[in-house]
Amino acid sequence: MRIVFGDDRSQGADLGWLWIGEQRWPGWRLDVVTVPETELGPPHPGGSTTLEPWTPEDPRQPIVGSGFAEVRYLTAQADPRVVLAGARADLVVVGATGRGFLKRRLHIGSTTEWLLHEPPAPLVIARSGRRVRRVLVGVDGSPPSQRALGAFAGLPWATDTEVLVVGARDGWLEPGPALDAASAVLEQAGIPHRIEEVKGRATEVLLRTQQREGSNLVVVGARGSSRLRHAVAGATASSVARAAESSVLLAA
């Protein structure tokens, strides 16, 4: 199992590194990917996206006890969005913000924004360096929602968390079947959980519940299966990723 960590040495990346270090990853491999900073316009495929080993002047050191079997430092000479979008990983971790005043004001960096819409693998947007204790899972029955839940359930520390699974009843979708399916996945993985069906728009329900519960991580699908569900789920994931006070895990 492999994590790819996108490191631009920003404050957002610092939080991403702390987030990784606070969890336990026995037997996993970690690739720390650093791409030289460039002015980011529209994504372009130029340069070499091949990841090559390198030795940073001041390499980030894994936190003692994190359990990684191997840590590698890699770089490429290309657009960081293209590099990370091509990452073959079980989990990609990035900070919420990149370098620069504008990116901090927008609450999300341009590379993270790009990955948010087309996650190359289950994607964590880290906003806190704390250990994950409480998890909020939003479900709508779509394949991306199911994949996001499956990615979380496969994390080595998932059984040590308290999970609340929420389905929003917004007049379009009935969340009952999705809640039942999610509960079955979590039961099989041995993860303690509760389920709630809440009336309201999914974005508002998730953000309100995250604040109420003090969740450290929100798990959502990046898009839905039908055209309508694709638009609704995509808007929900994007809004939650921008506005949630916690880290967010998404899958497409």
Side-chain angles (χ1 to χ4, degrees):
M1 304 296 282
R2 177 182 179 228
I3 296 176
V4 167
F5 169 54
D7 187 10
D8 64 359
R9 290 289 176 163
S10 65
Q11 290 183 350
D14 291 343
L15 285 178
W17 183 253
L18 288 174
W19 186 89
I20 291 172
E22 280 298 313
Q23 321 312 323
R24 299 296 172 260
W25 310 94
W28 282 51
R29 294 184 298 139
L30 172 62
D31 287 348
V32 181
V33 176
T34 304
V35 177
E37 185 177 3
T38 58
E39 289 297 324
L40 295 180
H44 56 86
S48 173
T49 59
T50 302
L51 290 169
E52 301 286 353
W54 79 305
T55 304
E57 291 183 5
D58 182 23
R60 294 186 186 269
Q61 298 298 327
I63 295 176
V64 175
S66 53
F68 286 109
E70 181 184 18
V71 178
R72 300 189 302 174
Y73 302 90
L74 306 172
T75 190
Q77 303 296 319
D79 187 321
R81 293 166 293 184
V82 177
V83 172
L84 291 174
R88 295 181 179 178
D90 297 286
L91 190 69
V92 175
V93 179
V94 293
T97 56
R99 291 183 177 275
F101 175 74
L102 177 61
K103 293 177 184 178
R104 290 197 295 270
R105 285 290 300 272
L106 291 175
H107 308 297
I108 198 162
S110 13
T111 298
T112 301
E113 174 79 24
W114 174 254
L115 296 173
L116 164 62
H117 293 290
E118 292 292 337
L123 172 71
V124 168
I125 301 174
R127 274 206 165 86
S128 168
R130 298 178 181 176
R131 179 172 295 188
V132 175
R133 302 288 191 186
R134 295 181 177 179
V135 179
L136 173 63
V137 178
V139 297
D140 63 3
S142 67
S145 173
Q146 294 167 357
R147 284 191 282 270
L149 175 62
F152 164 72
L155 297 175
W157 40 266
T159 53
D160 297 327
T161 64
E162 299 175 10
V163 177
L164 173 61
V165 185
V166 171
R169 183 159 44 84
D170 59 4
W172 291 94
L173 300 171
E174 288 298 326
L179 289 169
D180 292 341
S183 182
V185 170
L186 294 170
E187 284 183 9
Q188 185 173 11
I191 300 172
H193 62 280
R194 298 174 287 137
I195 62 172
E196 279 188 14
E197 183 176 318
V198 182
K199 185 177 181 180
R201 292 179 61 249
T203 299
E204 296 171 356
V205 167
L206 289 173
L207 292 176
R208 187 170 61 245
T209 305
Q210 185 275 322
Q211 289 186 332
R212 184 194 76 199
E213 296 288 320
S215 306
N216 307 116
L217 182 68
V218 178
V219 178
V220 290
R223 55 177 182 261
S225 52
S226 66
R227 180 172 297 180
L228 172 62
R229 191 176 276 175
H230 180 108
V232 172
T236 297
S238 182
S239 297
V240 169
R242 288 181 175 85
E245 297 176 355
S246 67
S247 300
V248 179
L249 188 159
L250 308 105

